[in-house]
Amino acid sequence: MKKPEYKPYRLPAGGWGSARSVGNIIRREGVLGSVPLALSRHNKVDGYQCNSCAWVKPANPLPFEYCENGVKAVAWELTANRCTPEFFSQHTVSELRDWDEYQLEQPGRLTHPLRYDAASDKYVPVSWGHAMEEIAREMRAVEDRKKGTVFYSSGRLSNEGSYLYQLFARAYGNNNLPDSSNMCHETTSVALPISIGQGVGTIDLGDFAKTECIMFFGQNPGSNSPRMLHPLQEASRRGVPIITYNPLRERGLERFVNPQSPTEMLTGKETRISSQYHQVRTGGDLAALAGICKAVLTLHDEAKASGGSVLDEAFVAEHTTGFETFADWVRAQDWDELERRSGLYRGDMESTAKVYSQARAAIGIYGMGLTQHQAGVETIQMLVNLLLMRGNIGREGAGICPVRGHSNVQGQRTMGITEKPELFPLDRLGEQFSFEPPRERGYDTVDTCEAVLRGDVRAFIMLGGNFVRAIPDHGQMEPAWRKIRLTVNVITKLNRSALLPGEISYILPVISRLEIDETETGQQVLSMEDTSGCIHGNRGLRKPASPHLISEMRLICELAQRVLDPNPRMRWDAYMSDYAEIRREIGETLPDIFWDYERRMWEPGGFQRPLPAKKREWHTDTGRANFVTPKALDEDLDMPAPGRDVLRLMTLRSNDQFNTTVYGYDDRFRGIKNTRKAVLMNRSDIDRLGLKVGQAVTLRTVADDGVDRHLSGMLVVAYDIPIGCIGGYYPECNVLMPVWHYAVGSKTPAAKSIPVTVHSDGPEVLEPQLEYAEG
Ligand SMILES: Nc1nc2c(c(=O)[nH]1)N[C@H]1C(S)=C(S)[C@@H](COP(=O)(O)OP(=O)(O)OC[C@H]3O[C@@H](n4cnc5c(=O)[nH]c(N)nc54)[C@H](O)[C@@H]3O)O[C@H]1N2
Ligand SMILES: Nc1nc2c(c(=O)[nH]1)N[C@H]1C(S)=C(S)[C@@H](COP(=O)(O)OP(=O)(O)OC[C@H]3O[C@@H](n4cnc5c(=O)[nH]c(N)nc54)[C@H](O)[C@@H]3O)O[C@H]1N2
Ligand SMILES: [Mo]
């Protein structure tokens, strides 16, 4: 292992750094031959949909419609490395538990179904038939099906797989369908329907081309949705102001060189991205947004005096409710308090208000920086309030833009993967398949954790993802996990969840969407929905990683057939041999969206689901868009307020990871190399606490529930981060997150604000080179 280093990254996002990083992973995974070929079909009509993020796939894709992290995700999946039964015969599960995420996925794609053998503490190969029989027997034996069985899925799963999975769960008898979205944009799914009557955003790429102002809250496109840098670059070139609120100065939000443009690469000509950058305190967005709204109201009052107007008064009167209450609340806020809570100056918020007020159309973009706070729902609604003030919903060039994470997380929701029965037409589903779907609310992610801690869960099916690593409170959850009777890990690479076997545990490896999925009726295709609500076809192009893999669709059908009582309406045999049959059923359940599905999914740019708010049709309880007035300004009411000794930890993604998949130990844009054990701190906090850069420290969660949560051996890095805020990487820091610390209303774990103390592990400076000397 090389020595950790810290050297602020001076280059723009993209550029040569991006090209080098991509070259490294392609070489390491041994896919120099296959990746370039695959990339010619990346995000193309009749190609496959990128398996990294959910950013919009344009109708007229660039010749190279991919980015640094898309290429990493593709190389990761197409890797030449194989994790075979041999590998498992050489390592016990206890031994593997000491490996980190990078090491665990490095052996490559899983090749065989495996069953945990407790006697030898190893995974051993097993036949598919045996695996299916035993899993089905155990699932049938669960006494309380509502409490005892959980159907988790991660947001990569296709529409077809998701639809079958929810049908299986509901026919089995529960709505226990937690998914990765519960940890992510659930806050969006709760906030937006109340405000504007739909759970998804309202923008498409056309709006980016027409907008006059972009506001960015807590989303990091440079690492997490790099293709988005192209429309941003274009907007910037048109002179569109881009205003960012983020505690960190993220490279991708500052400057960009398009690595696909030879001229830009050779001349180093870069584009500025943000025109204003405000380093808001973590959790300070609610106050910052209130301040911006307050300044807009002031501008409006001034304009009124001279016969003008800043608000879109006609829109507010005709299309909204709650404005007066909201405006009174905003006016009553005190600037000192807003400054204190946001960590910004009044002038920062006023400058945003000024630019926003002059733009004929504005877009509000956000990500985990808003959703993963206790008051995340209210914060998103504040951003919508700001947009509603000037009629910026349902107009060209304007709208709200949550940036979804996993490549099909939005499609999963559309397909009915949700614990909330009211979000899916269950009457219709019941009629279509002639059964009585369960109507009780099921478990979301946090409910699942609580049920596991109580010992209620007997069978846990994980269809993709790495649940036990992605969730909070590892210290409590991991021991509890071992007590589950049956754990089934349907995955493509080894991860930590599989290394915490219950009494009976399986690893079931599957075909990925980049691979050719051949059934009796020929090669099958799939479909996915991107963050703008557009649905696209997907065709695999490479031979599966091993002949022993089966598809996720087949896995669900085979299991459902063995677990459920026969029902002639549920044609599992037909579904697994011809996925068009699944799409036919989807079209029947959701005819308004999926008419003529088979053809439209191959249209360039996909087909967009109806977005009522885009047409100013408000499917809310009032029939209008609602201004929602927050209850307080504090984003983290369940935790002690940050003070002299209590710092607020946000958990971050590096540039070299996709969630719990770690591609490497560098975070290039943030200048950190060869380590993930870094804690980013403001120099004045380091000095005040008597710490030194490069020293090892322990972070300890401040909570009065009697549980000790701590993480030692973290290396102090002096970083440009607001005083009182610190940063560390996810999932390593999840051990510090209490399971009960989540967003009110959505139960999304509040991963961006964990109150912690920082203590030195010993006087010596272990990594002196982390001290960066300028020049
Ligand atoms: N390469 C890559 N791409 C990914 C992923 C990945 O891990 N790697 N993950 C995918 C998934 S599932 C998701 S959900 C998305 C996540 O993508 P993002 O939404 O970008 O999520 P994060 O990287 O967790 O954090 C986003 C930003 O929030 C800022 N932030 C933290 N706290 C606050 C706050 O209180 N206020 C404000 N204003 N900002 C704050 C951080 O500094 C960071 O820049 O990306 C998807 N795409
Ligand atoms: N502290 C903290 N915690 C967080 C977050 C945070 O910002 N901070 N972010 C949260 C968010 S936004 C999310 S979305 C969750 C992520 O939670 P998950 O979605 O559960 O986790 P991933 O890391 O994306 O899952 C990676 C695993 O998926 C499997 N896999 C990959 N491709 C496929 C496939 O095609 N099929 C199947 N069956 N399996 C596949 C691989 O085996 C890989 O190990 O984590 C959440 N946890
Ligand atoms: Mo996510």
Side-chain angles (χ1 to χ4, degrees):
M1 190 77 194
K2 289 191 228 141
K3 289 292 245 179
E5 271 178 38
Y6 172 55
K7 199 166 180 189
Y9 191 74
R10 303 279 178 222
L11 299 170
W16 289 107
S18 170
R20 248 192 312 277
S21 175
V22 162
N24 286 343
I25 186 162
I26 290 182
R27 266 192 303 282
R28 198 179 68 210
E29 301 291 333
V31 287
L32 206 53
S34 50
V35 164
L37 182 69
L39 289 176
S40 66
R41 307 301 322 138
H42 193 92
N43 291 335
K44 296 286 168 59
V45 175
D46 207 35
Y48 62 86
Q49 300 303 315
C50 181
N51 52 352
S52 192
C53 78
W55 183 244
V56 191
K57 320 293 191 289
N60 305 306
L62 300 168
F64 313 105
E65 188 59 42
Y66 53 80
C67 69
E68 169 179 348
N69 280 318
V71 178
K72 285 184 192 166
V74 168
W76 177 89
E77 198 159 298
L78 293 184
T79 178
N81 303 337
R82 294 291 177 271
C83 188
T84 60
E86 244 88 84
F87 170 86
F88 288 97
S89 72
Q90 287 157 13
H91 304 284
T92 63
V93 166
S94 312
E95 179 195 337
L96 292 170
R97 266 200 299 275
D98 289 335
W99 293 23
D100 67 24
E101 337 294 327
Y102 174 78
Q103 294 166 318
L104 286 178
E105 296 202 2
Q106 216 38 49
R109 289 286 299 276
L110 292 155
T111 58
H112 288 71
L114 304 157
R115 185 185 190 280
Y116 179 63
D117 173 50
S120 62
D121 188 29
K122 286 178 176 168
Y123 272 101
V124 296
V126 61
S127 73
W128 277 105
H130 180 96
M132 294 288 182
E133 288 300 331
E134 187 176 34
I135 294 167
R137 200 164 52 239
E138 288 296 327
M139 286 179 77
R140 291 186 69 102
V142 173
E143 262 169 47
D144 187 339
R145 290 192 172 190
K146 295 220 165 18
K147 282 193 184 155
T149 305
V150 180
F151 298 84
Y152 175 72
S153 55
S154 158
R156 261 190 210 192
L157 188 61
S158 60
N159 282 355
E160 290 76 1
S162 302
Y163 183 84
L164 291 180
Y165 199 47
Q166 63 81 30
L167 182 62
F168 179 24
R170 293 185 166 122
Y172 176 84
N174 68 40
N175 285 305
N176 294 339
L177 288 158
D179 64 349
S180 59
S181 172
N182 290 142
M183 300 178 249
C184 184
H185 271 290
E186 188 65 40
T187 316
T188 296
S189 310
V190 171
L192 292 187
I194 299 170
S195 292
I196 57 167
Q198 67 182 41
V200 300
T202 65
I203 60 94
D204 55 37
L205 280 180
D207 294 315
F208 273 89
K210 303 229 167 65
T211 192
E212 294 192 359
C213 173
I214 296 174
M215 295 177 288
F216 247 101
F217 285 83
Q219 201 269 337
N220 184 16
S223 290
N224 298 333
S225 49
R227 285 185 306 108
M228 186 189 212
L229 296 176
H230 298 146
L232 288 177
Q233 184 182 35
E234 278 163 30
S236 162
R237 287 190 176 146
R238 284 196 295 119
V240 173
I242 300 178
I243 303 175
T244 297
Y245 281 76
N246 193 312
L248 303 181
R249 295 194 72 89
E250 303 285 26
R251 213 68 289 234
L253 287 163
E254 294 193 308
R255 289 181 284 134
F256 176 58
V257 164
N258 184 350
Q260 300 187 346
S261 154
T263 342
E264 284 179 38
M265 289 292 271
L266 290 174
T267 58
K269 186 172 179 313
E270 54 188 46
T271 312
R272 69 93 186 140
I273 298 295
S274 297
S275 50
Q276 286 184 22
Y277 210 117
H278 305 290
Q279 286 181 268
V280 63
R281 191 171 69 79
T282 353
D285 303 271
L286 192 49
L289 281 159
I292 301 168
C293 291
K294 189 174 167 77
V296 171
L297 279 180
T298 307
L299 289 172
H300 178 68
D301 293 344
E302 286 164 13
K304 279 304 243 195
S306 50
S309 171
V310 165
L311 301 183
D312 183 340
E313 291 171 290
F315 173 84
V316 170
E318 190 187 336
H319 286 285
T320 70
T321 66
F323 175 72
E324 286 310 326
T325 316
F326 165 73
D328 289 347
W329 179 87
V330 169
R331 287 202 164 93
Q333 299 308 311
D334 170 56
W335 277 115
D336 288 345
E337 182 72 0
L338 295 174
E339 287 187 326
R340 194 173 69 78
R341 298 257 180 204
S342 64
L344 299 171
Y345 292 114
R346 173 176 176 170
D348 293 317
M349 300 171 255
E350 286 176 337
S351 63
T352 303
K354 183 124 200 192
V355 171
Y356 171 69
S357 297
Q358 286 161 356
R360 268 175 305 182
I363 293 178
I365 303 178
Y366 67 93
M368 299 299 102
L370 296 199
T371 66
Q372 295 178 333
H373 283 291
Q374 228 221 341
V377 170
E378 290 185 328
T379 310
I380 292 167
Q381 289 170 335
M382 265 315 256
L383 180 54
V384 176
N385 292 340
L386 175 62
L387 293 170
L388 290 176
M389 288 172 94
R390 285 182 42 79
N392 276 312
I393 303 268
R395 175 201 288 168
E396 258 195 349
I400 183 84
C401 177
V403 185
R404 299 270 166 176
H406 266 299
S407 49
N408 195 39
V409 65
Q410 191 160 314
Q412 275 198 330
R413 273 306 156 90
T414 310
M415 291 297 114
I417 299 276
T418 171
E419 73 287 354
K420 301 185 183 84
E422 67 278 12
L423 294 186
F424 202 60
L426 292 187
D427 290 337
R428 229 192 154 92
L429 194 73
E431 229 168 88
Q432 191 176 338
F433 294 102
S434 139
F435 78 118
E436 194 35 63
R439 305 293 170 144
E440 302 82 356
R441 194 193 150 99
Y443 295 149
D444 59 23
T445 290
V446 167
D447 300 332
T448 301
C449 294
E450 290 164 349
V452 169
L453 290 173
R454 282 196 306 270
D456 284 349
V457 175
R458 305 291 297 155
F460 183 88
I461 317 297
M462 185 177 88
L463 187 46
N466 187 4
F467 187 82
V468 200
R469 203 63 185 145
I471 56 176
D473 246 341
H474 293 162
Q476 327 303 308
M477 291 309 303
E478 293 194 356
W481 208 257
R482 304 299 309 273
K483 303 208 175 95
I484 301 175
R485 167 83 180 160
L486 172 72
T487 54
V488 180
N489 305 282
V490 183
I491 50 184
T492 52
K493 289 201 182 174
L494 181 58
N495 65 38
R496 194 167 171 88
S497 298
L499 300 174
L500 296 160
E503 278 172 55
I504 301 172
S505 186
Y506 281 93
I507 291 177
L508 303 180
V510 286
I511 295 179
S512 84
R513 73 165 71 148
L514 268 65
E515 293 170 334
I516 297 169
D517 184 355
E518 199 71 67
T519 70
E520 309 85 275
T521 65
Q523 184 179 347
Q524 300 303 311
V525 294
L526 296 167
S527 54
M528 286 110 211
E529 178 179 335
D530 68 29
T531 201
S532 67
C534 290
I535 294 125
H536 310 258
N538 176 94
R539 192 185 303 277
L541 48 73
R542 205 202 45 176
K543 200 164 97 227
S546 144
H548 306 287
L549 305 185
I550 67 171
S551 74
E552 285 158 327
M553 282 47 65
R554 173 146 173 225
L555 187 138
I556 299 165
C557 292
E558 296 253 5
L559 210 50
Q561 278 178 321
R562 288 173 169 84
V563 173
L564 305 176
D565 296 333
N567 172 342
R569 296 275 186 92
M570 295 182 192
R571 300 170 298 126
W572 304 105
D573 274 324
Y575 306 151
M576 67 175 130
S577 83
D578 182 0
Y579 302 168
E581 292 294 332
I582 312 173
R583 287 185 287 274
R584 195 157 302 147
E585 301 285 15
I586 296 172
E588 199 152 315
T589 316
L590 302 165
D592 297 347
I593 307 179
F594 293 98
W595 50 274
D596 202 7
Y597 194 173
E598 212 57 43
R599 180 187 64 79
R600 288 200 301 153
M601 67 195 245
W602 300 111
E603 278 173 10
F607 64 90
Q608 196 168 37
R609 56 187 271 178
L611 300 172
K614 215 174 161 62
K615 291 179 287 174
R616 298 195 166 172
E617 286 167 17
W618 315 103
H619 294 189
T620 58
D621 53 355
T622 59
R624 291 172 171 223
N626 293 314
F627 280 93
V628 183
T629 306
K631 283 177 209 61
L633 272 185
D634 198 314
E635 283 186 56
D636 294 283
L637 287 168
D638 65 338
M639 287 280 186
R644 282 171 52 80
D645 299 323
V646 181
L647 304 174
R648 204 168 265 203
L649 168 72
M650 59 172 143
T651 56
L652 297 166
R653 293 168 160 76
S654 79
N655 181 248
D656 237 1
Q657 75 183 86
F658 191 94
N659 297 340
T660 69
T661 289
V662 174
Y663 302 127
Y665 298 98
D666 295 347
D667 192 0
R668 181 161 45 87
F669 293 150
R670 300 201 185 105
I672 293 167
K673 281 181 99 174
N674 307 323
T675 186
R676 292 180 53 86
K677 299 209 81 177
V679 49
L680 315 184
M681 297 182 72
N682 186 293
R683 172 71 70 172
S684 74
D685 285 326
I686 298 175
D687 291 344
R688 183 169 47 82
L689 296 172
L691 303 171
K692 294 198 175 61
V693 172
Q695 198 175 34
V697 293
T698 295
L699 309 185
R700 182 165 266 111
T701 309
V702 183
D704 50 13
D705 63 353
V707 178
D708 178 38
R709 298 176 181 85
H710 69 271
L711 184 59
S712 299
M714 300 290 282
L715 299 167
V716 174
V717 173
Y719 203 82
D720 182 5
I721 185 170
I723 293 178
C725 303
I726 62 174
Y729 293 112
Y730 140 64
E732 289 83 345
C733 288
N734 286 34
V735 66
L736 297 168
M737 289 165 59
V739 72
W740 44 261
H741 181 47
Y742 51 69
V744 177
S746 70
K747 286 194 150 183
T748 298
K752 295 290 183 270
S753 59
I754 311 158
V756 295
T757 56
V758 184
H759 297 282
S760 110
D761 287 348
E764 69 277 46
V765 170
L766 298 179
E767 306 292 351
Q769 70 289 352
L770 280 175
E771 179 69 73
Y772 177 70
E774 198 77 39

